[in-house]
Amino acid sequence: MSTNRTQALSSIEAIVVRFGIAGIFLFETARTIVLPPYSFSALMKQIAFIGARSLLVIVVAGLFVGMVIALQFYDTLVRFGSVSLLGSAVGLSLIRELGPVLTALMVIGRSGSAMCAEIGIMRVDNQIDALECMAIDPYRYLFAPRILAGIICVPLLTAIFILVGIFGGYFVGVILFGVSPGSYFQGMADTVLNRDLFMGFSKSLVFGLLIVWIACDKGFNLHLDKHGAYGSEGVSRITTEAVVLSSIAVLFSDYLLSALIL
Amino acid sequence: MIDSNIKNVIEIEGLDTWYGTKQILSNISLHVERKEVMVIMGHSGSGKSTLLRHMIGLNNPVSGSIKLLGKEITGLSRNELYELRKHIGVAFQNGALFSSMTLQENVELPLHEHTRLDHNTIRIMSRLKLELMNLSDNETLMPAELSGGMLKRAGLARAVIMDPEILFFDEPSAGLDPVTSAELDDLILQLRDALNMTIIVVTHEMESAFKIADRITVIDNGQQIITGDKETIKKSTDPRIVNMLERRAMNENINADDYLNKLTRN
């Protein structure tokens, strides 16, 4: 019994310590973001990686998500004879929930996993030690541009997702089912408040930070992995963990932010 | 800030270190003089690479003092440590080149990060170093396209691009054929003579150690067995040194009970 208790205590301790390490990681990165020198070329490279190259996926995903929710809402609303509410239903659900969350999940799959594996391999191959030895701060060189790019790109990608989604909904609702275009857009304009926009924006900002933070921290601290798995197995394990953890973190913080803002 | 006339560029006193409950290094004390080649020798797992990591401040000792260029490095802030590291170069066992950059970009990186030289000057400087390492025809290749010996030489080129006062080299001959490894030994001597560097080499390869070393430190099981010039090592009567020189496996005294316990432990 007592050994069970000590085991439980030590695993709780390990979790608290791990959170502390992740906290220090974020603090150190934030410090290098704020203090000069700044590297715009590194930032641009990461914005291209997280943002520009995700554009096609986000546009395609946004289009189909917008189309399918318009389809579902139309089928429900037509039973109550209130198809004029289609525009506001599509707009609100995209802006408040689906846009930020689905964009975040797409970015996790596309960029978060790649980033985690890349940093993890750098750790395994001593490249991070080599940076340290060349007096190049890895927080400044590797993580500051990535975190900053995450915070910049995820809200922008979310905005594009929502915009394309609204037009996907327009295509299904207005062009296929004959809802009047005026009521689609006017309904949306009447019901979507600044608070809804604020909610979507603040969520995407938090998600952008969470995704990059978790992916980079997992890769950077690969050597602290409690299973002691190093090398290629360690990289595959932490990449999986990073994807699972950041997806959960996104969904959890989604609820938290909704509850706080509503 | 750094005294460039200091005699001993590295001074280690009473260094102890542990990984969890396992002691890796115990009571290591040695100094490295300016412009000498110090070779740290030992079997795999003897703690020699850990000692190297301590000298460059990648690991912190449990107790003891490490002075690099006259400055105590245990307890330095990160920025102070970075400032000090601008005077050293480290070549890793596998090169540790950045796989997303070409050879040339790898070698130029420290110059881009730490100097305000213009692009052309940086290019000329990196070509000089690549030429020195016999890599001038491969500057546009990616690390994945290089052989093991080339990776080591490229790592070396990157380590010396800032003309450091001290060069650390981890296992120059590991995984290389005898000819390539002999070429690297020549290169190390050339670096000392041409660029006036102090060089610290960690290796398990005896032949290469005796070829390049001014002084040798032998480490076994985390213990410092001996430090001295080549003659001192050769004359040593310590059985561990004699075994090493004659390439004999260590005959450990095995207690039958301990051995059984080891086999049957859960």
Side-chain angles (χ1 to χ4, degrees):
Chain A
M1 191 63 197
S2 74
T3 54
N4 280 348
R5 222 168 121 186
T6 33
Q7 268 176 4
L9 275 178
S10 69
S11 58
I12 290 173
E13 189 193 334
I15 293 171
V16 173
V17 168
R18 190 64 187 82
F19 265 99
I21 291 169
I24 293 171
F25 176 88
L26 186 63
F27 174 79
E28 290 288 349
T29 312
R31 199 176 53 90
T32 56
I33 290 176
V34 177
L35 300 175
Y38 312 106
S39 171
F40 287 102
S41 60
L43 178 63
M44 286 304 153
K45 206 173 145 196
Q46 291 306 321
I47 287 180
F49 176 68
I50 301 176
R53 283 189 225 151
S54 304
L55 214 54
L56 187 66
V57 194
I58 291 295
V59 167
V60 173
L63 184 71
F64 286 116
V65 168
M67 284 166 67
V68 80
I69 52 171
L71 187 64
Q72 293 283 6
F73 271 121
Y74 181 81
D75 187 60
T76 313
L77 291 171
V78 83
R79 297 179 202 177
F80 302 103
S82 39
V83 286
S84 58
L85 291 176
L86 185 69
S88 39
V90 170
L92 280 179
S93 49
L94 274 173
I95 291 169
R96 280 160 58 152
E97 282 299 330
L98 293 171
V101 171
L102 290 177
T103 306
L105 294 178
M106 304 294 289
V107 172
I108 289 172
R110 215 204 134 271
S111 311
S113 56
M115 219 184 282
C116 178
E118 185 190 356
I119 305 276
I121 288 170
M122 292 184 80
R123 169 62 79 189
V124 171
D125 195 33
N126 284 335
Q127 292 174 28
I128 291 183
D129 287 340
L131 272 180
E132 289 269 4
C133 289
M134 287 187 275
I136 298 172
D137 187 346
Y139 292 104
R140 181 182 306 288
Y141 184 73
L142 295 175
F143 305 126
R146 284 176 170 80
I147 295 248
L148 215 51
I151 295 174
I152 293 171
C153 291
V154 174
L156 289 174
L157 289 173
T158 303
I160 292 168
F161 185 100
I162 293 169
L163 188 76
V164 176
I166 287 171
F167 280 101
Y170 179 88
F171 176 74
V172 170
V174 177
I175 297 178
L176 294 188
F177 291 120
V179 177
S180 93
S183 82
Y184 184 81
F185 282 118
Q186 194 55 47
M188 206 178 287
D190 288 343
T191 44
V192 175
L193 306 173
N194 277 341
R195 196 186 64 171
D196 301 317
L197 295 175
F198 172 71
M199 187 192 281
F201 176 68
S202 53
K203 276 181 181 178
S204 62
L205 211 60
V206 172
F207 295 163
L209 175 68
L210 279 175
I211 294 167
V212 184
W213 178 21
I214 292 173
C216 291
D217 169 83
K218 276 276 176 191
F220 185 63
N221 290 315
L222 167 70
H223 56 304
L224 303 177
D225 186 273
K226 59 181 182 298
H227 302 289
Y230 216 59
S232 45
E233 194 201 334
V235 174
S236 79
R237 189 208 300 275
I238 50 124
T239 307
T240 311
E241 278 180 16
V243 168
V244 173
L245 195 67
S246 42
S247 306
I248 304 255
V250 161
L251 296 172
F252 175 72
S253 60
D254 179 46
Y255 177 78
L256 213 63
L257 284 167
S258 301
L260 279 174
I261 296 171
L262 281 176
Chain B
M1 188 195 85
I2 283 163
D3 180 4
S4 53
N5 296 315
I6 193 165
K7 184 167 174 270
N8 292 340
V9 289
I10 295 177
E11 283 179 31
I12 299 175
E13 278 304 326
L15 174 72
D16 278 321
T17 197
W18 302 69
Y19 281 165
T21 54
K22 192 178 174 215
Q23 184 156 23
I24 306 292
L25 293 172
S26 70
N27 198 20
I28 308 278
S29 296
L30 60 93
H31 68 272
V32 180
E33 288 169 23
R34 187 170 286 279
K35 289 174 198 167
E36 76 171 339
V37 177
M38 166 66 96
V39 173
I40 297 167
M41 259 175 90
H43 304 288
S44 303
S46 58
K48 56 189 189 308
S49 292
T50 310
L51 178 59
L52 180 88
R53 292 179 65 85
H54 279 87
M55 288 185 191
I56 52 187
L58 283 177
N59 291 10
N60 266 326
V62 172
S63 67
S65 123
I66 304 166
K67 278 190 182 153
L68 194 60
L69 294 163
K71 279 201 125 187
E72 177 66 47
I73 60 168
T74 52
L76 279 189
S77 75
R78 237 199 8 251
N79 283 341
E80 289 170 318
L81 198 54
Y82 284 151
E83 209 43 57
L84 200 55
R85 281 192 188 137
K86 287 181 189 168
H87 301 267
I88 69 168
V90 184
F92 284 85
Q93 196 177 133
N94 53 2
L97 299 177
F98 301 114
S99 38
S100 57
M101 297 180 182
T102 66
L103 192 47
Q104 191 162 47
E105 287 164 344
N106 262 291
V107 174
E108 288 174 356
L109 180 68
L111 290 173
H112 280 297
E113 291 293 315
H114 295 312
T115 68
R116 286 163 184 262
L117 299 171
D118 67 272
H119 191 73
N120 289 333
T121 317
I122 288 181
R123 184 117 305 178
I124 291 169
M125 290 174 78
S126 74
R127 281 194 180 139
L128 275 172
K129 291 293 191 292
L130 286 169
E131 188 79 47
L132 192 64
M133 307 294 160
N134 274 328
L135 285 169
S136 46
D137 299 333
N138 307 298
E139 57 188 32
T140 53
L141 295 185
M142 302 301 278
E145 299 170 292
L146 301 178
S147 69
M150 285 158 103
L151 281 176
K152 274 187 211 253
R153 278 182 282 148
L156 191 56
R158 191 178 64 181
V160 298
I161 188 72
M162 298 278 287
D163 291 327
E165 290 175 48
I166 316 176
L167 169 70
F168 296 85
F169 203 156
D170 192 9
E171 297 278 8
S173 40
L176 294 184
D177 61 274
V179 176
T180 317
S181 128
E183 282 169 7
L184 262 178
D185 291 342
D186 292 337
L187 209 52
I188 290 170
L189 292 176
Q190 208 182 329
L191 279 178
R192 180 196 56 183
D193 298 337
L195 302 173
N196 279 329
M197 281 176 199
T198 311
I199 300 175
I200 289 137
V201 177
V202 166
T203 185
H204 63 269
E205 192 61 42
M206 214 166 37
E207 203 177 313
S208 127
F210 277 95
K211 183 173 169 193
I212 57 177
D214 292 315
R215 290 194 304 141
I216 297 177
T217 296
V218 181
I219 291 190
D220 187 50
N221 269 330
Q223 311 271 345
Q224 180 178 6
I225 300 178
I226 194 171
T227 299
D229 56 24
K230 288 181 246 187
E231 287 310 307
T232 320
I233 306 285
K234 278 180 186 158
K235 283 180 191 157
S236 167
T237 51
D238 188 307
R240 290 169 294 187
I241 307 277
V242 176
N243 279 341
M244 195 180 73
L245 291 179
E246 294 175 5
R247 300 189 171 217
R248 270 205 307 255
M250 294 294 265
N251 290 319
E252 287 177 34
N253 291 322
I254 296 167
N255 179 318
D257 285 342
D258 284 352
Y259 187 63
L260 264 180
N261 281 338
K262 205 170 159 186
L263 290 177
T264 54
R265 75 179 187 278
N266 288 318

